[in-house]
Amino acid sequence: MQKNKPAQVTHLFPLTLYKAKIGLSKDEREILIREVYSQEKQSKNLENKETNKAWTGDTQGFEFLFSNKKFTKLFNLIGEHTKEYTKTIGLNYNKVDFYYQRAWATISRKNEKIVAHSHLQSHITFAYYLKKEKEDGKLVFHNVKENNEIAPGLFSTLGSSNFVTPNYTNAALVRFSADVDELVIFPSKTLHSTLPNQTSNDRISIAADISVVAKNSENISF
């Protein structure tokens, strides 16, 4: 009697995150940290900063951090990792040019966070952690497609009613860890947020939006 073959489970359409250590020394990071605090002191729109929301340089007149010479080495290193990220997802980076749209620092103090959002005007976004406690709030990625939700509201509404056992096939969000001097790269369209800072020390990150443009647009319609 022939035995049935075991069932096979195939996971399709993954979201790919790229994480790497940049390699800046502590002294190099300290120089950049002091520069970020200096920018905060020169904020141009501080009266509109909301309670429990992080300070973000792009809303305070410091959205072109890539043009600051103190950050040249950091952005050059991140540029090389950006090429590796695109290689991972199958893009031939030799056929495209990368342009920074904007880049800014974020300071999150105790109980401060960044609410869920995406960057629909760009193609690639990254977060680099300049200053961070190991146990501090994580970067959160949200699942908006819910490809496996076989009935509307099944995962979100009934997930807490013993109908659904939480795992990566039905997760509404995933908390992603990164340490000091680590870089995380992901598609700009990805909905993401940060958990509140639960420590008494500031968390400082650098983020940027990148546009990808074909070197030769011949016979390309998009």
Side-chain angles (χ1 to χ4, degrees):
M1 186 175 181
Q2 187 175 8
K3 293 183 178 180
N4 292 329
K5 292 183 179 180
Q8 181 179 6
V9 176
T10 302
H11 298 288
L12 302 177
F13 312 124
L15 170 65
T16 301
L17 307 177
Y18 178 98
K19 184 169 77 168
K21 197 86 167 176
I22 290 297
L24 291 188
S25 68
K26 183 178 180 180
D27 289 343
E28 288 174 320
R29 295 198 305 273
E30 283 297 329
I31 292 172
L32 303 187
I33 289 169
R34 288 197 294 270
E35 177 65 15
V36 171
Y37 282 130
S38 175
Q39 292 178 1
E40 184 189 27
K41 290 179 180 177
Q42 302 173 62
S43 294
K44 298 175 175 60
N45 196 29
L46 201 56
E47 66 275 7
N48 290 331
K49 180 185 175 301
E50 298 180 45
T51 303
N52 291 335
K53 299 290 179 61
W55 178 90
T56 56
D58 59 326
T59 64
Q60 301 296 333
F62 298 97
E63 68 272 32
F64 301 116
L65 210 55
F66 54 81
S67 63
N68 187 318
K69 291 183 179 180
K70 292 181 180 179
F71 289 83
T72 298
K73 180 178 179 178
L74 174 63
F75 280 98
N76 285 341
L77 291 171
I78 290 175
E80 293 304 310
H81 282 285
T82 301
K83 291 179 181 179
E84 286 302 309
Y85 162 73
T86 57
K87 180 180 177 181
T88 300
I89 62 174
L91 175 65
N92 185 347
Y93 60 75
N94 293 310
K95 291 184 176 293
V96 298
D97 289 320
F98 300 90
Y99 294 94
Y100 284 117
Q101 280 191 6
R102 57 184 187 138
W104 66 98
T106 296
I107 304 174
S108 301
R109 294 188 167 89
K110 189 167 185 178
N111 296 324
E112 292 183 342
K113 63 181 180 180
I114 299 175
V115 298
H117 66 290
S118 55
H119 303 211
L120 298 180
Q121 82 289 345
S122 60
H123 302 128
I124 296 172
T125 294
F126 69 72
Y128 168 75
Y129 289 91
L130 194 58
K131 184 177 187 294
K132 183 182 183 295
E133 297 297 316
K134 195 169 185 66
E135 68 274 15
D136 187 17
K138 298 178 180 179
L139 185 60
V140 180
F141 292 96
H142 301 257
N143 177 12
V144 296
K145 292 188 175 181
E146 297 180 326
N147 287 332
N148 293 322
E149 190 175 57
I150 57 176
L154 177 65
F155 295 160
S156 57
T157 306
L158 299 178
S160 59
S161 304
N162 297 324
F163 276 84
V164 177
T165 301
N167 59 40
Y168 281 101
T169 69
N170 58 44
L173 55 86
V174 174
R175 297 174 177 87
F176 193 77
S177 297
D179 292 329
V180 169
D181 193 45
E182 283 193 331
L183 168 75
V184 182
I185 306 177
F186 52 92
S188 296
K189 64 183 180 180
T190 308
L191 190 67
H192 59 285
S193 61
T194 66
L195 294 178
N197 184 350
Q198 297 297 325
T199 76
S200 297
N201 296 317
D202 297 350
R203 177 175 72 227
I204 300 180
S205 60
I206 306 298
D209 290 331
I210 300 171
S211 292
V212 182
V213 181
K215 290 180 182 291
N216 183 355
S217 60
E218 185 178 356
N219 296 324
I220 298 177
S221 62
F222 60 90

